[in-house]
Amino acid sequence: MLPDRDAAEEAAEALGERFGVREEPQLVRDALAGEDDAEDAQWLVVVEDPDDRLDPKELDAFAAQWDGWREEP
């Protein structure tokens, strides 16, 4: 979860370099409840890891570089 689209796009691009993610992550706008303004949206960078290759602590640190955080479904 990242604070804005620019951060989400940068993080999505950097995922491949840092973690070897081959598939392009999906970016999803998550509007805050009751808000229509694009400024009041957070962005999700959706990364699927069915083989559990990615270390959650490393992903936490990675997301923090853009003032973001990791969430699990």
Side-chain angles (χ1 to χ4, degrees), residues 2 7 17 21 30 34 38 57 59-60:
L2 297 162
E17 297 169 14
V21 174
D30 184 32
K57 290 181 182 180
L59 288 172
D60 286 337

Side-chain angles (χ1 to χ4, degrees), residues 24-63:
E24 186 172 333
Q26 179 183 7
L27 302 181
V28 178
R29 181 178 178 267
D30 184 32
L32 300 176
E35 298 293 337
D36 293 328
D37 187 355
E39 296 297 319
D40 293 322
Q42 296 172 328
W43 286 80
L44 286 82
V45 177
V46 180
V47 178
E48 294 190 28
D49 184 28
D51 299 327
D52 292 326
R53 287 187 323 108
L54 305 174
D55 183 326
K57 290 181 182 180
E58 287 184 37
L59 288 172
D60 286 337
F62 179 79

